[in-house]
Amino acid sequence: MTDKNPKPQDSPDSGFINELSEYLNFDGDQWPDDDPDSFVPEHVLTQDNQANEFGASSGSHFEGASSRDVGNEREKKEVIDRVAFKTKSEVEILDDGFKWRKYGKKMVKNSPNPRNYYKCSVDGCAVKKRVERDKDDPSS
DNA sequence: CGAATTTGACCAGCGC
DNA sequence: GCGCTGGTCAAATTCG
C-alpha cells in the first residue's frame, strides 16, 4: 500500500479507511489466488459455488491499473486505482463496508443489462464504482 | 424533512 | 468534421 487512500488523514473515520486499504490490497501484485474468498464480502457468500467461480473460471477477469507500463506522471493522479472483479450475487449493491450512492445508469451495447454508476457517499471517500451485469450470467 | 434514487440531458474522448 | 459511446451532473421524485 502506497498512496491508495484518497485522503490519508487521521480523521475519525480512518477506521474504515484502513479497511479500504485492505480491499485495495489486491490491486497490487499479490492477488489472493490461494484464498480468493478472502476478499469476498460475507454478504456475497450466499451460494456455495461462488468461491469456485473466483478461483476457477472467473480468475482471469482481473485487470490491474493500466498506467503501469507508462512509468511516467501521465495519469497518476487520475487513475489512482482501478480494480475490476466479478462477483456473483443477486444484489448489485455489495456492502464493502461503505455506503454507495447511485448517481447514474447507462445502457451499454456490450450487455443487454444496464450499467450502474455508484459513488462512495462516505465523507472523505471519493471512490467511484461501475457495476454491470454479465450478459452471460445475469447473476454476476 | 432529509437523504437516496431515478431518469434525462449534457459533455468529452475516440473512431471513422 | 461528424457521429457514437461512455461518464457525470442535476432536478424531480420517493422512501425512511
Side-chain angles (χ1 to χ4, degrees):
Chain A
M1 129 181 174
T2 48
D3 56 301
K4 271 81 202 272
N5 303 339
K7 288 198 63 169
Q9 294 183 358
D10 52 326
S11 307
D13 35 85
S14 57
F16 60 77
I17 288 292
N18 187 31
E19 264 186 72
L20 174 63
S21 308
E22 294 186 45
Y23 281 106
L24 292 173
N25 200 15
F26 46 78
D27 112 281
D29 309 308
Q30 42 176 344
W31 276 89
D33 298 286
D34 298 275
D35 228 355
D37 53 292
S38 63
F39 65 91
V40 179
E42 56 183 25
H43 307 270
V44 191
L45 298 175
T46 49
Q47 306 259 329
D48 57 300
N49 59 331
Q50 279 167 8
N52 297 327
E53 286 275 52
F54 282 101
S57 50
S58 310
S60 54
H61 277 272
F62 304 131
E63 298 177 36
S66 54
S67 56
R68 267 184 130 68
D69 55 292
V70 183
N72 268 329
E73 59 276 333
R74 274 288 295 165
E75 41 188 27
K76 64 180 180 183
K77 53 201 327 213
E78 303 245 337
V79 185
I80 302 175
D81 274 306
R82 242 197 299 205
V83 184
F85 55 91
K86 190 159 118 185
T87 54
K88 206 179 187 98
S89 172
E90 296 298 318
V91 295
E92 299 133 42
I93 312 288
L94 301 180
D95 190 0
D96 335 58
F98 307 98
K99 212 69 190 173
W100 296 101
R101 177 167 43 88
K102 180 184 286 187
Y103 69 91
K105 183 173 65 174
K106 247 328 217 267
M107 296 294 293
V108 288
K109 306 184 83 163
N110 224 353
S111 169
N113 309 303
R115 177 182 293 174
N116 300 304
Y117 298 91
Y118 296 90
K119 207 187 301 189
C120 188
S121 61
V122 181
D123 179 57
C125 179
V127 185
K128 289 170 189 170
K129 195 158 93 173
R130 184 170 31 237
V131 179
E132 66 178 283
R133 293 288 186 181
D134 193 302
K135 62 181 171 71
D136 196 56
D137 269 300
S139 58
S140 301

